[in-house]
Amino acid sequence: MKVLVTGTSEGIGKSIAQKFLNEGHEVIGIDINQATIEHKSYTHIQKSICDKNLPNIKNIEILVNNAGVQDSGNDIDINLKGTIAITEKYGIQAHIKSIVFIASSSATTGAEFPEYVASKGGVVSYMKNVALRIAQYGATSNSISAGGVITKLNQHIIDDPNLWQQVLNETLLNKWASSEEIADFTYFISIINKSMTGQDIFIDNGEALKSNFIW
């Protein structure tokens, strides 16, 4: 299939792109940074998802909206408005089979930077709007709300033993997910899944459920 992934230079987006490439799909990546993937079936477009001059790419079948920033001062413009722009340009068309949005567990829990939370909450709501609109094509729209993920973005937490133990203690399973695990979930809900749509999938190692019964 023809797959478009945003934010492919590192972290979750890179793992998602590599997963689809490993499974034999054609992948186009859009990222503000230079390409870090070398593969015969990979094409890199070095642009921001907010760029007004994005190229015309026809017949995208799978769209994965992953690109985003955190506590940047531009979270709503990039995470929400940029994602909407990408989806409207490449996803709302007759060849689409599935659209996946990488949101955040903070969209539900609220436990993050204010504009980041608002931007990801908007992404989850917009995902449902997209599900309604692409159903006519037999296509699905879902989001993944990840909790902590082991990526370069979170390296400052991982490298601090005290801070790392504190965040692990906030999860039921005492761990974070890997970017490869998020990629596997993304592949499943976009390729294998045919019936689930309009759903936000929590992958947070039980962080949102964590509670202590004291009596």
Side-chain angles (χ1 to χ4, degrees):
M1 287 193 180
K2 193 172 185 178
V3 183
L4 176 61
V5 184
T6 65
T8 54
S9 67
E10 62 182 28
I12 293 171
K14 184 175 182 179
S15 293
I16 289 171
Q18 290 177 324
K19 172 67 177 180
F20 279 97
L21 289 167
N22 291 343
E23 296 292 338
H25 300 276
E26 174 190 358
V27 177
I28 301 161
I30 297 178
D31 196 294
I32 197 169
N33 297 310
Q34 293 181 343
T36 58
I37 297 172
E38 293 185 6
H39 193 285
K40 64 180 181 179
S41 297
Y42 179 73
T43 301
H44 191 78
I45 299 168
Q46 190 175 355
K47 283 183 179 289
S48 166
I49 61 172
C50 296
D51 196 302
K52 300 299 182 182
N53 297 306
L54 288 166
N56 291 321
I57 308 170
K58 295 186 180 298
N59 303 337
I60 294 297
E61 296 171 278
I62 306 293
L63 171 59
V64 181
N65 285 298
N66 165 77
V69 293
Q70 187 180 66
D71 198 29
S72 68
N74 296 304
D75 289 19
I76 291 174
D77 284 338
I78 296 172
N79 298 351
L80 181 55
K81 292 182 179 179
T83 292
I84 291 172
I86 288 288
T87 304
E88 296 298 321
K89 185 175 182 68
Y90 301 116
I92 313 298
Q93 41 84 18
H95 289 86
I96 199 69
K97 301 291 191 298
S98 179
I99 302 177
V100 179
F101 298 83
I102 304 301
S104 169
S105 60
S106 65
T108 297
T109 66
E112 265 282 7
F113 305 104
E115 287 196 6
Y116 182 77
V117 168
S119 69
K120 292 300 187 177
V123 165
V124 173
S125 294
Y126 176 66
M127 171 274 292
K128 296 180 180 183
N129 172 269
V130 170
L132 293 169
R133 295 161 61 204
I134 64 174
Q136 62 179 311
Y137 308 124
T140 62
S141 171
N142 296 286
S143 57
I144 289 177
S145 277
V149 181
I150 299 173
T151 64
K152 183 180 177 181
L153 179 68
N154 294 316
Q155 199 63 47
H156 66 290
I157 298 173
I158 298 165
D159 290 343
D160 184 326
N162 182 54
L163 196 57
W164 181 232
Q165 191 57 57
Q166 287 184 61
V167 297
L168 292 184
N169 288 344
E170 290 299 312
T171 72
L172 288 179
L173 299 181
N174 200 42
K175 69 180 185 69
W176 275 9
S178 68
S179 60
E180 291 79 13
E181 184 178 4
I182 304 302
D184 287 342
F185 272 101
T186 301
Y187 188 85
F188 178 85
I189 65 176
S190 60
I191 298 293
I192 298 172
N193 166 55
K194 304 299 181 186
S195 300
M196 180 181 68
T197 193
Q199 300 301 308
D200 183 42
I201 311 304
F202 252 54
I203 305 173
D204 71 342
N205 284 291
E207 184 175 348
L209 190 62
K210 184 68 181 288
S211 61
N212 295 307
F213 178 47
I214 300 171
W215 59 288

